Amino acid sequence: MKLVFYKGVLILALLLMAFSLFSQRVGLVLSGGGPRGVAHIGVLKALEENNIPIDYISGTSMGAIIGGFYASGYSVEQIEEIFTSDVLQSWMNGTFDTRYSNYYETQDPTASWQLFKITIDSVLKVKLPTNIISPYEMDFRFLEWFSEAGAACNYNFDELAIPFRCVASDISENKFTVLKEGNLDKSIRASMTFPFYFKPIRIDNKLMWDGGMYNNFPVDVMMEEFGPEIIIGSKAASNYGPPKDDDVISQIQAMLMANTQYKVDSLRGVMIEPKMRTVNITDFSNTYEFIDSGYYAASAKMSEIKMLLDLTETIEEKDNRRKEFNEKKPPLKVREIKYGGVNQRQEVYLNRLIKKKKNMVLLQDDSIPNNEKMQIIKSQYYKLIAEDQISSVNPELKYFSDSKVYDLYLNINPNNKIEAEIGGLISSKATNEIFLQVNYNIWRKYSMNITGNTYLGRFHNSGLAMVRIDRPGKLPLAWELSYILNGFNYFNTSTYFFEDAKPNYLLQRDSYWKFEISTPVTNDSKLAMEFVSGIKTDNYYQSNQFSRSDTADKTTFGFYSTSLFYEFNSLNRKQFASEGTFFKACSRFISGSEKNIPGSTSTDTSEFSNYHNWLQIRMAVDKYFKVSNRLKFGVCGSLTYSNQPFFNNYTSSVLSAPSFEPIPESQTIFLPQFRAYIYLSAGVKSVFSLLKNLDLRAEAFVFQPYEEIFSDANGKAMYGEVLSNRYYIGSGSLVFHSPIGPISMCLNYYDQADEPFSFNVNIGYFIFNKRPFQ
């Protein structure tokens, strides 16, 4: 009887042990940590090499991204490839992929700093931006990486290759939320949305921010949701220190971020803590180093982990589990494209814009690979983003298992009807100016933009009124009608912003109407026809020796002009570019009537009038090449040909000649040696990135007029010998690309100028409303 009893006890003990071994489950908890969170990749690599099974994953912020990848069937090698590629850095920097831009819809650059926008509700209200970094590339990448996995698990995170939880912060409720079902890409995107850096995202109509605000190490979520017997924690973050008096970021972090306890139960878990330096939240330059830190830290803890485990899972078994799940991912076949946030008339506009009917045929074609279909969706998505009438687009792919198709939802946030911009230039020279602009947007089956702006300064005063209509379709067209009034005062003075009582050495005025119709050739280029009519007025002295009692010569030129031009632009900045290409070719016919009223310094006392016609052909190119990650090399050149006749005197002839202005400051200086009717120019540029957004630039240019314009003894224009002289411009500058615009310190050289060297410090842009023949 006793023998039977002991046998029974032994069998029961063995059964309990077997049950214990069978039920042993491992949960992996991944903290936030920004760029340091890539250390989790090294941790995963070490766990796989040592055959450590992972049955559940919970993560916050960067831990949610890496954990989401692993739970969605990505291998460690695939995850590492993503995080060490340029793709990650582009969406972390908010880079706009210019391959999908619509350049023909882009208006001429202005001196705007884009500090704020004004919206109309019941009252005028200032609306501040909610993010520093543009979310467009990031949102699409999350859609691309996780939408198929979300479909394969039927939007239940328990059905992923590895059951998964991520944590986000509910802004309105001031608490963290555990995300375990629904849209996978949006859930992970919400978990890593660091306040003010990235735009918050809506889930179940609630605005979500980074889960690290309230729970940066979700070990409690792991226990409550899955209750594993063993927990492996990977800590790549730490609590923020006390706020500092002179650091607003530290103050915001102290207000928004709750302290987190980074620990696991030592009896049932192991904490892995890689040693890493502190870096900026968007600095992924140390990715390889941090991955290695995670690998070595996990390897050092491997003996402790193995002491807790009796079960293993080989790499082959892991690969088979991934393969089984990846085979469940349904191929991308889009049944319908649906819009949110717009009305029916706006939908007509959008369908024309993205060529919906044509692209739907491609998205339903089973012979086209998923990656090519994603590129089609991306091109449509970026076309919408590039629209002036659209503030943001939130893309979503939803799978319907019964019909085995996806619907693409493009949730659109239209731009405000009224927007205001401010900008200008603060300079150590007398070229300071304020820029103000107001836009009024109308969006129906067409897009209309009404713009008014003004520049107020000592050197440049200007106003613009413009109406632009865009109509997409098989042949997209844009019509633009504008009136521009310009004033340029080249007289040297120390007076800032406002005119004094001194007479002007050189004052130019442009008053003209312009009508332009354009169409895209490629995403980065346009073909346009332009019609211009107006009056140019020049007031000048024909001698540098004058008094307050002297009167200036006055030359007016009433004209009309028609032109055809092709323009390509993929430059990364509107001033101080370091990447991309600019090319423009323009043919222009100009006809008009010149009238000259001599002043007291003129040798010719009789009034003069004449009628002129001429043809002008201009070409310009500016291209940058990447030598290394820090060094860029640029080349540029231009050609101008014109059969323009001389005007009545030398000064008016030079003033009407095309000018060579290769560096920003040169637009503000009257340099007759760099003006000619026919000329060729060339230049080289080197741009060295000292730090992120801090460039050291060196530029050199040569200007070769075919026939230089000189003055004879009577003050009339005459040509010099063919190719007799050439002139040079050099520039060295230190440029910081701040959120409001460039902050530059420049030393410039102008060959044969009265003052050849010029040093200036500037905040903002040397950008003005266009001249009539520019």
Side-chain angles (χ1 to χ4, degrees), residues 493-626:
T493 178
S494 60
T495 302
Y496 290 76
F497 288 113
F498 303 105
E499 297 198 26
D500 60 10
K502 294 179 181 178
N504 295 311
Y505 165 65
L506 173 57
L507 184 65
Q508 290 191 300
R509 292 281 187 263
D510 305 329
S511 174
Y512 66 96
W513 290 90
K514 182 180 76 170
F515 176 73
E516 180 183 304
I517 182 169
S518 60
T519 188
V521 178
T522 65
N523 287 342
D524 290 321
S525 65
K526 68 178 181 180
L527 182 66
M529 182 173 290
E530 187 178 85
F531 304 92
V532 179
S533 178
I535 298 175
K536 285 171 50 65
T537 303
D538 297 332
N539 291 275
Y540 51 90
Y541 292 95
Q542 296 198 47
S543 169
N544 287 332
Q545 303 298 320
F546 55 86
S547 67
R548 293 182 181 275
S549 60
D550 284 318
T551 58
D553 280 51
K554 182 177 181 179
T555 296
T556 60
F557 182 58
F559 63 86
Y560 68 88
S561 168
T562 181
S563 64
L564 179 69
F565 66 90
Y566 168 80
E567 191 168 282
F568 177 96
N569 192 344
S570 63
L571 297 178
N572 62 332
R573 300 186 185 99
K574 59 184 177 181
Q575 203 158 79
F576 296 114
S578 60
E579 296 176 9
T581 301
F582 173 83
F583 174 78
K584 184 174 182 177
C586 177
S587 176
R588 185 186 305 273
F589 175 75
I590 302 167
S591 179
S593 177
E594 175 201 3
K595 183 177 181 180
N596 176 253
I597 301 175
S600 59
T601 60
S602 175
T603 58
D604 189 349
T605 59
S606 59
E607 294 188 8
F608 173 87
S609 61
N610 198 5
Y611 199 82
H612 302 291
N613 296 300
W614 70 86
L615 178 67
Q616 183 187 90
I617 297 174
R618 305 187 74 174
M619 296 177 64
V621 64
D622 189 8
K623 185 175 180 61
Y624 292 88
F625 302 90
K626 182 178 179 180

Side-chain angles (χ1 to χ4, degrees), residues 168-279:
S169 296
D170 186 331
I171 298 174
S172 60
E173 297 291 335
N174 294 320
K175 65 180 183 179
F176 75 85
T177 298
V178 179
L179 301 173
K180 55 186 177 181
E181 62 184 6
N183 193 298
L184 179 61
D185 55 284
K186 288 187 179 299
S187 297
I188 296 173
R189 160 73 161 83
S191 184
M192 56 74 59
T193 304
F194 193 86
F196 302 116
Y197 275 87
F198 305 109
K199 189 173 184 177
I201 190 170
R202 284 195 178 273
I203 293 180
D204 295 332
N205 206 31
K206 295 180 179 180
L207 274 180
M208 297 289 179
W209 255 344
D210 196 306
M213 291 175 60
Y214 301 113
N215 191 342
N216 210 24
F217 187 64
V219 65
D220 54 339
V221 173
M222 173 62 71
M223 292 305 302
E224 291 173 9
E225 292 290 321
F226 300 119
E229 286 70 36
I230 297 167
I231 290 180
I232 300 172
S234 179
K235 174 182 177 293
S238 58
N239 290 315
Y240 294 102
K244 299 177 182 178
D245 293 343
D246 57 351
D247 187 349
V248 68
I249 297 298
S250 72
Q251 296 166 20
I252 293 173
Q253 288 169 343
M255 287 189 294
L256 297 180
M257 301 296 184
N259 285 339
T260 297
Q261 288 190 338
Y262 297 95
K263 64 180 183 179
V264 298
D265 185 347
S266 60
L267 297 177
R268 63 188 302 177
V270 175
M271 177 69 83
I272 300 169
E273 299 185 53
K275 295 181 180 180
M276 295 171 287
R277 69 170 70 100
T278 301
V279 295

Side-chain angles (χ1 to χ4, degrees), residues 741-753:
I743 301 174
S744 59
M745 183 168 59
C746 308
L747 177 64
N748 302 320
Y749 169 77
Y750 303 99
D751 191 18
Q752 299 299 310

